[in-house]
Amino acid sequence: MGRLAYVNGRYVPHGHAMVHIEDRGYQFADGVYEVVPVVDGVLIDEEQHLDRLGYSLAELRIDWPVRRAALKLILRELMARNGLRRGIIYFQVTRGVAPRDHKFPCAAKSALVITTKRLSPPSAAMIQDGVAVSTQPDIRWARRDIKSISLLPNILAKQAAVEAKAFEAWLVKADGIVTEGSSTNAWIVTKAGEVVTHARNHDILGGVTRQALLELVTSAGIKLVERSFTVTEAFAASEAFLTSSSAFIVPVTRIDGKAVGNGKPGPITQKLREIYVEGVDRQIRAAS
Ligand code: PMP
């Protein structure tokens, strides 16, 4: 049987899954989403992703399409039907279907779409050699903490990065501060050994991987600092890396073509990756 998608209460073949043309997600990008990694059939950091979904929905005053407990059952059902063991589960909630009009509709019911995708972990080459990033202007709106499906600036930045032969874009504000990547959080390790990532505020998405790492690392005795860093500081860093639910932790070894440190993934990044992967393994063991 082919891959299925979940669309507003029905499990339908992926190729035939459709939404109404007046779904406000389609018309206005009036919706939010989540991506949860699946490893060995286990949803990693599921509660944190559902908490963030709740936050995004509340900030935009969109109702939960189904109760949280029901959503958890649907996620598992779709994973089971699709035989998903390793990959991601994507779910998006929009404000629903209504005649096109900017103001909130009175009677629309929020709409839920869920898909799964098989995805391998980052390749051995990516982990051994690291990836390149390209700095791009951060032209997004002022509420990047909401995981909105409106991703046009992220798409443009990522495309510009790919055209510059980089894996990811690092988004830079007019004042030179690196906020985050187009779909990842950005980190550096300074020459003094401080691990630095942008503080959690409206300027960045509070990454679940970012938060998990912050918590795991504190107990490992590594010094992590949540503060802004500039592109200049990033160029001078001894190590850099990025985090996200689909990539976990990937070393960054070039920024705008310049080598970070000695141009190889650094020991702190490698240690953090080990700590993170152990955390994932613990979740898998606890679930089975
Ligand atoms: N920042 C942005 C802009 C993102 O889109 C993502 C991925 N959703 C992240 C950071 C990383 O967040 P997470 O660790 O929750 O995947």
Side-chain angles (χ1 to χ4, degrees):
M1 188 176 57
R3 189 155 61 112
L4 298 176
Y6 174 93
V7 185
N8 293 320
R10 296 191 316 138
Y11 296 88
V12 285
H14 191 271
H16 297 280
M18 282 177 223
V19 293
H20 194 284
I21 57 164
E22 285 196 308
D23 185 296
R24 289 176 64 97
Y26 180 66
Q27 296 275 356
F28 292 125
D30 186 1
V32 300
Y33 73 105
E34 275 300 325
V35 176
V36 184
V38 176
V39 183
D40 288 350
V42 176
L43 289 144
I44 304 301
D45 290 333
E46 179 184 21
E47 296 304 332
Q48 290 81 344
H49 283 280
L50 292 174
D51 287 349
R52 186 172 63 187
L53 177 70
Y55 174 78
S56 297
L57 289 172
E59 290 300 296
L60 298 180
R61 293 195 279 151
I62 298 175
D63 293 333
W64 280 77
V66 294
R67 281 169 195 267
R68 182 171 171 137
L71 178 56
K72 290 172 72 164
L73 291 177
I74 299 167
L75 295 177
R76 281 161 180 73
E77 180 65 24
L78 188 67
M79 278 168 52
R81 289 193 190 205
N82 286 345
L84 183 74
R85 301 288 302 163
R86 181 72 168 86
I88 53 166
I89 188 153
Y90 173 92
F91 40 110
Q92 84 168 43
V93 181
T94 68
R95 204 180 299 275
V97 176
R100 189 178 183 284
D101 185 0
H102 286 59
K103 66 180 183 296
F104 294 176
C106 299
K109 191 186 166 330
S110 59
L112 173 63
V113 167
I114 313 175
T115 55
T116 64
K117 188 157 104 180
R118 278 177 226 285
L119 201 68
S120 315
S123 68
M126 269 168 73
I127 302 306
Q128 273 160 29
D129 304 336
V131 296
V133 299
S134 160
T135 61
Q136 301 292 331
D138 194 342
I139 60 168
R140 297 173 301 162
W141 71 325
R143 289 303 307 275
R144 301 151 185 163
D145 56 315
I146 298 170
K147 200 162 166 59
S148 151
I149 58 172
S150 171
L151 289 171
L152 210 38
N154 309 58
I155 290 166
L156 295 176
K158 176 81 176 205
Q159 182 60 25
V162 168
E163 286 170 11
K165 308 237 175 317
F167 172 78
E168 173 62 305
W170 271 14
L171 306 175
V172 184
K173 291 194 300 183
D175 57 6
I177 286 170
V178 177
T179 50
E180 60 186 327
S182 73
S183 62
T184 54
N185 286 111
W187 304 67
I188 57 169
V189 183
T190 66
K191 292 223 165 70
E194 232 181 29
V195 185
V196 184
T197 195
H198 196 289
R200 192 168 159 191
N201 59 20
H202 287 180
D203 279 354
I204 65 159
L205 183 79
V208 168
T209 321
R210 173 191 175 282
Q211 192 58 36
L213 193 60
L214 284 171
E215 284 161 23
L216 287 166
V217 157
T218 315
S219 48
I222 296 175
K223 194 173 173 211
L224 272 187
V225 187
E226 290 178 82
R227 65 156 172 90
S228 305
F229 63 88
T230 61
V231 180
T232 315
E233 246 188 299
F235 285 144
S238 59
E239 299 181 32
F241 59 96
L242 51 83
T243 56
S244 81
S245 296
S246 37
F248 290 166
I249 299 174
V250 175
V252 169
T253 44
R254 266 168 304 141
I255 304 175
D256 289 345
K258 298 184 212 10
V260 178
N262 64 3
K264 297 208 165 62
I268 296 182
T269 305
Q270 276 164 2
K271 178 77 191 157
L272 294 177
R273 217 187 119 73
E274 276 161 31
I275 292 172
Y276 184 78
V277 170
E278 277 163 21
V280 168
D281 286 345
R282 272 197 302 279
Q283 285 190 47
I284 294 168
R285 280 198 302 275
S288 49

